[in-house]
Amino acid sequence: MPRRPFVAANWKMHKTVGETVDYARELVPRVGDAGDVDIVLAPPFPALPALVDAVADLGAGDRITVAAQNVHAEPQGAFTGEVSLPMLQACGVTAVIVGHSERRQLFGETDAGVDAKVRAVAAAGLTPIVCVGETLAEREAGRTFDVLDRQIDAGLAGLSREQAGAAVVAYEPVWAIGTGRVATPDQADAAHRRIRASLAARFGDDAAGACRIIYGGSVKPDNAAALMAQPDVDGALVGGASLDPAAFAEILAATRPPDSRIMEGRC
Ligand code: PEP
């Protein structure tokens, strides 16, 4: 069963509510026919309800869904500054990025914390987008696969087979995030194959074959097609380039399944 491509925009701490609505107005006409790709936008928390509404008002609610960049694992409580899953669900959010390397490196998120969040997101029926990836030092020490195995084991430990198959794993080598230094298609595919093997060992072949594994790290319009052409690369998590709707639309176009590209004479 072919995996439907999944492309998510991680805006990080960029864009006000007004800028978010303007972005939706610019993006939607550009992706009107991108029917074979799951398109996901992850703005900062304050813009989530406005983006859900804007996408629906523009008639694109069935093609574009909205994700949060983080969540607390508990449904409520004395956790100043945090946001819960019920709050996100009430806004119309359907996916959550968990364990981004910036959360791990700058805000002290651990594998155990990622596990708790991933469990909670999946139990609530939302899609966890679980980020994994090695640092430059780990790659240079030949430890890339060990790090990926550990992060997959720890981060997805609480999922059932079905939940693992429905999850999205984002392979984001830390050295490629925001640096302009992108993994080669071969490097990305090798890491994705290792992640899929790791998933298969824990959850079985069916779940591993269903799970979308997407690449993140300096994806741009000019390198997206080569990355997406790799058999185990099922989409992208895009940071910097997703802030420009024209650039993000170009990445989406490069991500379409081969058949739709042939039909439109893109091959
Ligand atoms: C990210 O933050 O998830 C990311 C991949 O960023 P960039 O595309 O800017 O490297």
Side-chain angles (χ1 to χ4, degrees), residues 77-117:
F79 302 108
T80 301
E82 294 292 321
V83 170
S84 74
L85 277 158
M87 295 169 190
L88 296 180
Q89 285 174 296
C91 294
V93 165
T94 57
V96 185
I97 299 171
V98 182
H100 190 281
S101 64
E102 286 155 15
R103 302 283 332 157
R104 294 179 193 257
Q105 294 197 320
L106 304 176
F107 300 99
E109 272 196 20
T110 61
D111 285 339
V114 171
D115 173 38
K117 291 182 181 189

Short mmCIF file of all heavy atoms in Angstrom, two decimals, residues 77-117:
data_model
loop_
_atom_site.label_atom_id
_atom_site.label_comp_id
_atom_site.label_asym_id
_atom_site.label_seq_id
_atom_site.Cartn_x
_atom_site.Cartn_y
_atom_site.Cartn_z
N GLY A 77 -4.02 21.36 34.61
CA GLY A 77 -3.30 21.39 35.88
C GLY A 77 -2.48 22.64 36.06
O GLY A 77 -2.55 23.58 35.27
N ALA A 78 -1.70 22.65 37.14
CA ALA A 78 -0.90 23.81 37.50
C ALA A 78 0.43 23.75 36.75
O ALA A 78 1.47 23.37 37.29
CB ALA A 78 -0.67 23.83 39.01
N PHE A 79 0.38 24.09 35.47
CA PHE A 79 1.57 24.05 34.61
C PHE A 79 1.65 25.37 33.85
O PHE A 79 1.29 25.46 32.66
CB PHE A 79 1.49 22.87 33.63
CG PHE A 79 1.36 21.53 34.31
CD1 PHE A 79 0.17 20.83 34.29
CD2 PHE A 79 2.44 20.98 35.00
CE1 PHE A 79 0.04 19.61 34.92
CE2 PHE A 79 2.32 19.75 35.64
CZ PHE A 79 1.12 19.06 35.60
N THR A 80 2.08 26.39 34.55
CA THR A 80 2.07 27.75 34.00
C THR A 80 2.79 27.81 32.66
O THR A 80 3.90 27.31 32.51
CB THR A 80 2.76 28.71 35.00
OG1 THR A 80 2.02 28.65 36.22
CG2 THR A 80 2.76 30.14 34.46
N GLY A 81 2.12 28.39 31.70
CA GLY A 81 2.73 28.59 30.39
C GLY A 81 2.53 27.44 29.43
O GLY A 81 2.98 27.51 28.28
N GLU A 82 1.88 26.38 29.88
CA GLU A 82 1.73 25.20 29.01
C GLU A 82 0.34 25.15 28.36
O GLU A 82 -0.58 25.86 28.77
CB GLU A 82 1.96 23.93 29.83
CG GLU A 82 3.39 23.77 30.33
CD GLU A 82 4.38 23.51 29.20
OE1 GLU A 82 4.04 22.76 28.27
OE2 GLU A 82 5.50 24.05 29.25
N VAL A 83 0.21 24.30 27.37
CA VAL A 83 -1.03 24.15 26.61
C VAL A 83 -1.37 22.67 26.54
O VAL A 83 -0.47 21.84 26.35
CB VAL A 83 -0.86 24.75 25.20
CG1 VAL A 83 -2.02 24.41 24.31
CG2 VAL A 83 -0.68 26.27 25.27
N SER A 84 -2.65 22.33 26.71
CA SER A 84 -3.03 20.91 26.77
C SER A 84 -3.67 20.42 25.47
O SER A 84 -4.10 21.21 24.63
CB SER A 84 -4.01 20.70 27.92
OG SER A 84 -5.28 21.20 27.56
N LEU A 85 -3.79 19.10 25.40
CA LEU A 85 -4.44 18.50 24.21
C LEU A 85 -5.90 18.90 24.07
O LEU A 85 -6.34 19.22 22.96
CB LEU A 85 -4.28 16.98 24.26
CG LEU A 85 -2.94 16.50 23.72
CD1 LEU A 85 -2.59 15.14 24.24
CD2 LEU A 85 -2.96 16.51 22.20
N PRO A 86 -6.70 18.87 25.16
CA PRO A 86 -8.09 19.32 24.98
C PRO A 86 -8.18 20.74 24.43
O PRO A 86 -9.08 21.05 23.63
CB PRO A 86 -8.68 19.21 26.39
CG PRO A 86 -7.85 18.16 27.06
CD PRO A 86 -6.47 18.32 26.50
N MET A 87 -7.25 21.60 24.85
CA MET A 87 -7.26 22.98 24.33
C MET A 87 -6.98 22.99 22.83
O MET A 87 -7.61 23.72 22.06
CB MET A 87 -6.21 23.83 25.05
CG MET A 87 -6.49 24.04 26.52
SD MET A 87 -5.04 24.77 27.31
CE MET A 87 -5.50 24.62 29.03
N LEU A 88 -6.01 22.18 22.42
CA LEU A 88 -5.67 22.11 20.99
C LEU A 88 -6.82 21.52 20.19
O LEU A 88 -7.16 22.00 19.10
CB LEU A 88 -4.41 21.27 20.78
CG LEU A 88 -3.12 21.81 21.40
CD1 LEU A 88 -1.95 20.86 21.11
CD2 LEU A 88 -2.79 23.20 20.86
N GLN A 89 -7.43 20.47 20.73
CA GLN A 89 -8.55 19.84 20.01
C GLN A 89 -9.70 20.83 19.84
O GLN A 89 -10.35 20.85 18.80
CB GLN A 89 -9.02 18.60 20.76
CG GLN A 89 -8.05 17.44 20.59
CD GLN A 89 -8.44 16.25 21.44
OE1 GLN A 89 -8.44 16.33 22.67
NE2 GLN A 89 -8.76 15.15 20.80
N ALA A 90 -9.93 21.63 20.87
CA ALA A 90 -11.02 22.61 20.79
C ALA A 90 -10.75 23.67 19.71
O ALA A 90 -11.67 24.30 19.21
CB ALA A 90 -11.22 23.29 22.14
N CYS A 91 -9.47 23.84 19.37
CA CYS A 91 -9.12 24.78 18.29
C CYS A 91 -9.20 24.13 16.91
O CYS A 91 -9.00 24.80 15.89
CB CYS A 91 -7.68 25.28 18.45
SG CYS A 91 -7.38 26.27 19.87
N GLY A 92 -9.37 22.81 16.84
CA GLY A 92 -9.40 22.14 15.54
C GLY A 92 -8.06 21.62 15.09
O GLY A 92 -7.88 21.28 13.91
N VAL A 93 -7.12 21.53 16.02
CA VAL A 93 -5.78 21.00 15.68
C VAL A 93 -5.86 19.47 15.57
O VAL A 93 -6.53 18.82 16.37
CB VAL A 93 -4.79 21.41 16.80
CG1 VAL A 93 -3.50 20.62 16.72
CG2 VAL A 93 -4.51 22.90 16.70
N THR A 94 -5.16 18.91 14.58
CA THR A 94 -5.24 17.46 14.37
C THR A 94 -3.89 16.73 14.51
O THR A 94 -3.84 15.51 14.41
CB THR A 94 -5.82 17.13 12.98
OG1 THR A 94 -5.01 17.76 11.99
CG2 THR A 94 -7.25 17.63 12.85
N ALA A 95 -2.81 17.48 14.68
CA ALA A 95 -1.49 16.85 14.82
C ALA A 95 -0.63 17.71 15.73
O ALA A 95 -0.89 18.90 15.92
CB ALA A 95 -0.83 16.71 13.44
N VAL A 96 0.40 17.09 16.29
CA VAL A 96 1.32 17.83 17.18
C VAL A 96 2.76 17.39 16.90
O VAL A 96 3.04 16.19 16.84
CB VAL A 96 1.01 17.57 18.68
CG1 VAL A 96 1.91 18.44 19.55
CG2 VAL A 96 -0.46 17.83 19.00
N ILE A 97 3.63 18.36 16.71
CA ILE A 97 5.07 18.06 16.61
C ILE A 97 5.59 17.80 18.02
O ILE A 97 5.33 18.58 18.94
CB ILE A 97 5.83 19.26 15.99
CG1 ILE A 97 5.32 19.55 14.57
CG2 ILE A 97 7.33 19.00 15.99
CD1 ILE A 97 5.87 20.85 13.97
N VAL A 98 6.29 16.69 18.18
CA VAL A 98 6.81 16.33 19.51
C VAL A 98 8.30 16.03 19.39
O VAL A 98 8.74 15.34 18.47
CB VAL A 98 6.07 15.10 20.09
CG1 VAL A 98 6.60 14.79 21.49
CG2 VAL A 98 4.57 15.32 20.14
N GLY A 99 9.07 16.57 20.36
CA GLY A 99 10.49 16.23 20.43
C GLY A 99 11.36 16.89 19.39
O GLY A 99 12.43 16.36 19.03
N HIS A 100 10.94 18.05 18.89
CA HIS A 100 11.80 18.77 17.95
C HIS A 100 13.16 19.02 18.62
O HIS A 100 13.23 19.23 19.82
CB HIS A 100 11.14 20.11 17.56
CG HIS A 100 11.82 20.79 16.43
ND1 HIS A 100 12.98 21.51 16.60
CD2 HIS A 100 11.52 20.85 15.11
CE1 HIS A 100 13.37 21.99 15.42
NE2 HIS A 100 12.50 21.61 14.50
N SER A 101 14.22 19.00 17.83
CA SER A 101 15.55 19.13 18.44
C SER A 101 15.72 20.45 19.16
O SER A 101 16.48 20.54 20.13
CB SER A 101 16.64 18.97 17.38
OG SER A 101 16.56 20.00 16.44
N GLU A 102 14.99 21.50 18.73
CA GLU A 102 15.08 22.77 19.47
C GLU A 102 14.45 22.62 20.86
O GLU A 102 14.91 23.21 21.83
CB GLU A 102 14.43 23.90 18.66
CG GLU A 102 15.31 24.31 17.49
CD GLU A 102 14.57 24.93 16.33
OE1 GLU A 102 13.40 25.32 16.48
OE2 GLU A 102 15.18 25.03 15.24
N ARG A 103 13.40 21.83 20.98
CA ARG A 103 12.80 21.56 22.29
C ARG A 103 13.76 20.72 23.13
O ARG A 103 13.92 20.94 24.33
CB ARG A 103 11.47 20.79 22.15
CG ARG A 103 10.39 21.42 21.34
CD ARG A 103 9.63 22.53 21.99
NE ARG A 103 9.53 22.47 23.42
CZ ARG A 103 9.30 23.56 24.18
NH1 ARG A 103 9.18 24.75 23.62
NH2 ARG A 103 9.21 23.45 25.46
N ARG A 104 14.41 19.76 22.48
CA ARG A 104 15.33 18.90 23.24
C ARG A 104 16.55 19.71 23.69
O ARG A 104 16.98 19.62 24.83
CB ARG A 104 15.80 17.72 22.37
CG ARG A 104 14.68 16.71 22.00
CD ARG A 104 15.26 15.61 21.13
NE ARG A 104 14.28 14.76 20.48
CZ ARG A 104 13.95 13.52 20.88
NH1 ARG A 104 14.53 12.98 21.92
NH2 ARG A 104 13.07 12.81 20.20
N GLN A 105 17.11 20.54 22.78
CA GLN A 105 18.37 21.22 23.08
C GLN A 105 18.18 22.49 23.90
O GLN A 105 18.99 22.79 24.77
CB GLN A 105 19.09 21.56 21.78
CG GLN A 105 19.54 20.31 21.03
CD GLN A 105 20.58 20.61 19.98
OE1 GLN A 105 20.47 21.61 19.28
NE2 GLN A 105 21.57 19.75 19.86
N LEU A 106 17.15 23.25 23.60
CA LEU A 106 16.98 24.56 24.25
C LEU A 106 16.07 24.51 25.46
O LEU A 106 16.14 25.37 26.33
CB LEU A 106 16.42 25.59 23.25
CG LEU A 106 17.21 25.78 21.96
CD1 LEU A 106 16.49 26.75 21.02
CD2 LEU A 106 18.61 26.31 22.28
N PHE A 107 15.18 23.51 25.51
CA PHE A 107 14.21 23.48 26.61
C PHE A 107 14.28 22.18 27.41
O PHE A 107 13.37 21.87 28.18
CB PHE A 107 12.79 23.68 26.03
CG PHE A 107 12.65 25.00 25.32
CD1 PHE A 107 12.74 25.07 23.93
CD2 PHE A 107 12.46 26.18 26.03
CE1 PHE A 107 12.64 26.28 23.26
CE2 PHE A 107 12.36 27.41 25.37
CZ PHE A 107 12.45 27.46 23.99
N GLY A 108 15.35 21.43 27.21
CA GLY A 108 15.63 20.28 28.08
C GLY A 108 14.68 19.10 27.94
O GLY A 108 14.53 18.31 28.88
N GLU A 109 14.03 18.95 26.79
CA GLU A 109 13.12 17.80 26.65
C GLU A 109 13.92 16.50 26.55
O GLU A 109 14.91 16.42 25.84
CB GLU A 109 12.25 17.96 25.40
CG GLU A 109 11.00 18.71 25.73
CD GLU A 109 9.91 18.60 24.68
OE1 GLU A 109 9.92 17.68 23.85
OE2 GLU A 109 9.04 19.47 24.71
N THR A 110 13.44 15.50 27.27
CA THR A 110 14.13 14.21 27.32
C THR A 110 13.34 13.16 26.53
O THR A 110 12.17 13.38 26.18
CB THR A 110 14.20 13.73 28.77
OG1 THR A 110 12.85 13.58 29.24
CG2 THR A 110 14.95 14.72 29.65
N ASP A 111 13.97 12.03 26.29
CA ASP A 111 13.26 10.92 25.64
C ASP A 111 12.01 10.54 26.44
O ASP A 111 10.97 10.25 25.86
CB ASP A 111 14.18 9.69 25.53
CG ASP A 111 15.22 9.84 24.44
OD1 ASP A 111 15.03 10.67 23.53
OD2 ASP A 111 16.23 9.12 24.50
N ALA A 112 12.13 10.55 27.77
CA ALA A 112 10.97 10.18 28.60
C ALA A 112 9.84 11.20 28.45
O ALA A 112 8.66 10.83 28.38
CB ALA A 112 11.40 10.07 30.07
N GLY A 113 10.21 12.47 28.38
CA GLY A 113 9.19 13.51 28.18
C GLY A 113 8.53 13.38 26.82
O GLY A 113 7.31 13.56 26.68
N VAL A 114 9.34 13.06 25.82
CA VAL A 114 8.80 12.87 24.47
C VAL A 114 7.84 11.69 24.47
O VAL A 114 6.73 11.75 23.92
CB VAL A 114 9.94 12.65 23.44
CG1 VAL A 114 9.39 12.25 22.08
CG2 VAL A 114 10.80 13.91 23.33
N ASP A 115 8.23 10.63 25.13
CA ASP A 115 7.36 9.43 25.23
C ASP A 115 6.01 9.80 25.84
O ASP A 115 4.96 9.42 25.30
CB ASP A 115 8.09 8.38 26.09
CG ASP A 115 7.21 7.18 26.39
OD1 ASP A 115 6.44 6.76 25.51
OD2 ASP A 115 7.30 6.65 27.52
N ALA A 116 6.03 10.54 26.94
CA ALA A 116 4.77 10.90 27.61
C ALA A 116 3.88 11.71 26.67
O ALA A 116 2.66 11.50 26.59
CB ALA A 116 5.06 11.67 28.88
N LYS A 117 4.48 12.64 25.95
CA LYS A 117 3.69 13.48 25.04
C LYS A 117 3.15 12.67 23.86
O LYS A 117 2.00 12.82 23.46
CB LYS A 117 4.55 14.64 24.53
CG LYS A 117 4.89 15.65 25.61
CD LYS A 117 5.70 16.80 25.05
CE LYS A 117 6.06 17.78 26.17
NZ LYS A 117 6.65 19.02 25.68
#
